Amino acid sequence: MNWIEIAGHTGAFLSSVTFIPQVYKAWQTKSVGDLSLAMILIVITSTVIWLVYGVSLVLWPVIIANTIIFFLASLLLVFKLVFK
Amino acid sequence: MNWIEIAGHTGAFLSSVTFIPQVYKAWQTKSVGDLSLAMILIVITSTVIWLVYGVSLVLWPVIIANTIIFFLASLLLVFKLVFK
């Protein structure tokens, strides 16, 4: 694995875990008023589209990263709708 | 352009604009307490790594999308540090 591939895998990993601290914070505080609902909906929509793309071309990093992001963003959406 | 390419471009576009509504909301409300600082820092770090990857392989969608995300996430970081 050369350094460009390492950069790609590192980027995919970081993108996958992006929303973990936000989900954790929202769960801890039960406060989501400052979170943009539009942002969450865009993230969910984009992951679905990236999954279509990734599955079509059998790009596993794209599939795995977007599956994780989809799950985390969906959790954020539930928190956004449940916590007031 | 086939439908897979259209999906890729649509995904890249949506990923690029993800943080626009969040930046707008933070600017309007001047309230960022519910935003995770760790999330913002992960986004900035990942875009820098994706830019290294994109520039190395001359992947313009990766370069353009991550430049936009880097700019928006940096704005969010400034808001997070300035607004209390």
Side-chain angles (χ1 to χ4, degrees), chain B:
Chain B
M1 190 151 56
N2 63 34
W3 68 272
I4 297 177
E5 286 176 298
I6 292 172
H9 282 84
T10 308
F13 172 76
L14 284 176
S15 294
S16 301
V17 303
T18 294
F19 289 105
I20 289 179
Q22 184 64 70
V23 165
Y24 178 77
K25 185 182 181 93
W27 175 252
Q28 285 270 308
T29 62
K30 311 281 189 274
S31 176
V32 291
D34 296 336
L35 289 181
S36 163
L37 178 62
M39 175 191 73
I40 298 169
L41 293 176
I42 291 174
V43 172
I44 292 173
T45 307
S46 70
T47 53
V48 170
I49 292 169
W50 278 123
L51 280 171
V52 169
Y53 180 80
V55 168
S56 301
L57 298 178
V58 198
L59 302 168
W60 280 104
V62 175
I63 295 170
I64 294 169
N66 280 282
T67 301
I68 295 170
I69 300 167
F70 174 84
F71 173 72
L72 292 168
S74 298
L75 259 181
L76 269 189
L77 177 62
V78 171
F79 291 171
K80 179 70 183 172
L81 298 177
V82 171
F83 303 147
K84 288 299 170 188

Side-chain angles (χ1 to χ4, degrees), chain A residues 5-74:
Chain A
E5 287 175 298
I6 292 172
H9 283 83
T10 307
F13 172 76
L14 285 176
S15 293
S16 302
V17 303
T18 295
F19 288 105
I20 290 178
Q22 184 64 69
V23 166
Y24 178 77
K25 186 182 181 94
W27 176 253
Q28 284 271 307
T29 62
K30 310 281 189 274
S31 175
V32 293
D34 297 337
L35 289 180
S36 163
L37 177 62
M39 175 191 72
I40 298 170
L41 294 176
I42 291 174
V43 172
I44 291 173
T45 308
S46 70
T47 53
V48 171
I49 291 169
W50 278 122
L51 280 171
V52 170
Y53 180 80
V55 168
S56 301
L57 298 178
V58 199
L59 302 170
W60 281 105
V62 175
I63 295 169
I64 294 169
N66 281 282
T67 301
I68 295 170
I69 299 168
F70 175 83
F71 174 72
L72 293 168
S74 298

